Amino acid sequence: MEMLLGFIVLLVCLVVGVRHGGLGLAVISGFGLVIYTFVFGYQPGKPPIDVMLIILAVVTCAGFLQTSGGLTVMLKYAEKFLRNNPKHVTIL
């Protein structure tokens, strides 16, 4: 029964969070974590620091590329390359 209630809480948080958008999803997920921790008594796990640092590095790199105009250049060359090889789009 507890597993079913936990699954329902998860689905409700996802549905409500998706309707509110990006930051709303984060806030509703936080509410879900509070419910799991204090209502159901689950212990939160160790945060995935390595994954968060990789995401931070990728977003920072994309921001620098966008600001310097490098992203536009990369997209131009990628478009040419893909248009010259249309049969291999899924592989490339």
Side-chain angles (χ1 to χ4, degrees):
M1 186 65 177
E2 182 180 340
M3 184 182 288
L4 181 64
L5 285 174
F7 186 66
I8 291 171
V9 167
L10 174 74
L11 287 179
V12 167
C13 287
L14 282 174
V15 169
V16 172
V18 167
R19 288 185 182 200
H20 286 285
L23 192 57
L25 181 59
V27 171
I28 299 298
S29 297
F31 287 147
L33 180 64
V34 167
I35 291 171
Y36 278 130
T37 302
F38 295 114
V39 175
F40 292 114
Y42 297 149
Q43 294 294 322
K46 189 176 81 170
I49 300 297
D50 295 337
V51 174
M52 290 191 288
L53 290 176
I54 290 171
I55 292 170
L56 178 67
V58 169
V59 169
T60 304
C61 182
F64 280 123
L65 279 172
Q66 179 69 33
T67 302
S68 66
L71 193 59
T72 307
V73 172
M74 282 178 49
L75 287 174
K76 183 174 70 172
Y77 285 120
E79 180 184 8
K80 281 184 184 178
F81 188 72
L82 290 174
R83 288 190 188 274
N84 289 336
N85 301 300
K87 291 182 181 178
H88 304 289
V89 168
T90 55
I91 295 170
L92 300 175

